């Protein structure tokens, strides 16, 4: 209530009251004066004239009130002159307000529906995000598996290529073996039909090449090897047989000459002429040249082995014991660097007469004997080791000491 009193335009009310009072007072004074003076308007009686003045004064009061209100208040002016227009506007605005209220209700309903749909979409989004996270994890796992598979594939491809190379190598080896089998078969047929003069892998001849020898000296040494080989093979031929030609492989000869070089070899070398395959009577002897470094292994007189032997053995037992000791010397010489004979596997030579003299001395002696094996001459890497046997009795052993 107090708030409504505060909203009233008290100044306007006071002005209206004062104006009304002034106009009423002026009209009353004017009516009294007209009545006293008995003024008549339009031929009316003074009493009626006074009433008309009073009525006109009331009219002026009303007009003055309206004029003041219209001048000072837009609301009153609008109510007086535009009331129907305002009413129409109010009706239209009310209709629009109802429509807007209905539309707002519809929007609120749609908002509620949209909120529910939004909540559902959010839940769906959360599910999609979870599925996306699971998919990303699965994708990472699949990528790792793919990388692992690619690595395994690369390894498998490398293994396949390696196996293919191995298959090619085995096929080439099989072809080579088939060729070797065919060669051996032909060689066997030749063996059955003829006589083998040279065996595959046999050292036909060998010749030392001094330190510093150059390519020219090497070529001269190869020619000497060929000549020696011809002499060795000629000795094996039956009487009346034609000489067998010795051929040296060009590849092996070129490798040897390249190894020695124009400047000469810094080491002592030994050249070997080795048979590449079996050679039957009447065939050409296929050979290859090998160049090996040669160093001094034993000086002449070097004691290779000393063993005690019990005298009084039988000839067979004494011979077997000597073979056993010589085999031991063979192993020692091999360990010291002497090359074995490719066919016999031995490294030394011993005169047969010396061997049997030692056997007889062991068989005929009593007590413990001492067998001394020494190098008969200076021995190099290519060998062979020429050995000497010395059987000492106890008396000879004491005299030596």
């Amino acid at each position: 209530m107090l708030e409504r009193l505060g909203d009233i335009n008290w100044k306007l009310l006071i002005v209206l009251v004062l104006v009304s009072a002034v106009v009423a007072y002026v009209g009353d004074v004017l009516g009294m004066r007209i009545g006293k003076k008995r003024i008549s308007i339009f031929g009316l009686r003074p009493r009626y004239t006074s009433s008309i003045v009073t009525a006109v004064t009331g009219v002026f009061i009303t007009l003055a009130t309206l004029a003041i209100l219209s001048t000072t208040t837009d609301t009153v002016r609008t109510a007086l002159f535009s009331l129907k227009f305002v009413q129409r506007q109010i009706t239209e605005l009310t209709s629009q307000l109802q429509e807007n209220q209905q539309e707002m209700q519809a929007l609120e309903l749609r908002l509620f529906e949209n909120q529910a749909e939004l909540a559902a979409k959010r839940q769906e989004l959360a599910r999609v995000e979870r599925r996306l996270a699971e998919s990303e994890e699965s994708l990472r796992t699949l990528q790792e598996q793919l990388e692992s598979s690619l690595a395994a594939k690369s390894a498998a491809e490398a293994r396949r290529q390696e196996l293919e190379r191995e298959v090619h190598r085995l096929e080439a080896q099989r072809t080579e073996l088939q060729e070797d089998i065919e060669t051996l078969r032909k060689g066997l047929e030749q063996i059955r039909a003829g006589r083998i003069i040279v065996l595959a892998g046999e050292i036909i001849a060998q010749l030392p090449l001094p330190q510093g020898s150059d390519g020219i000296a090497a070529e001269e040494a190869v020619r000497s090897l060929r000549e020696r080989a011809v002499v060795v093979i000629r000795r094996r031929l039956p009487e009346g047989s034609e000489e067998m030609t010795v051929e040296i492989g060009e590849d092996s000869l070129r490798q040897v000459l390249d190894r020695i070089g124009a400047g000469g070899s810094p080491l002592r070398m030994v050249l070997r002429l080795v048979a590449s395959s079996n050679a039957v009577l009447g065939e050409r002897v296929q050979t290859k040249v090998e160049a090996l470094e040669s160093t001094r292994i034993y000086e002449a007189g070097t004691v290779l082995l000393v063993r005690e032997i019990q005298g009084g053995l039988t000839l067979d037992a004494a011979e077997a014991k000597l073979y056993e000791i010589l085999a031991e010397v063979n192993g020692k010489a091999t360990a010291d660097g002497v090359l074995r004979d490719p066919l016999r596997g031995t490294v030394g030579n011993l005169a047969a007469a010396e061997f049997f003299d030692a056997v007889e001395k062991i068989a005929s002696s009593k007590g413990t004997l001492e067998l001394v094996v020494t190098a008969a001459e200076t021995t190099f890497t290519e060998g062979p080791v020429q050995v000497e046997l010395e059987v000492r009795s106890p008396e000879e052993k004491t005299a030596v000491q």
Side-chain angles (χ1 to χ4, degrees), residues 325-338:
I325 293 174
L326 290 176
E328 192 173 349
V329 172
N330 191 77
K332 180 182 183 307
T334 302
D336 290 339
V338 180

Side-chain angles (χ1 to χ4, degrees), residues 74 86 134-135 145 149 168 172 183 223-224 291 355 393:
D74 293 336
V86 170
E134 294 174 357
S135 300
Q145 293 178 355
S149 299
H168 293 328
T183 302
R223 281 193 291 269
S224 298
F355 178 81
S393 63

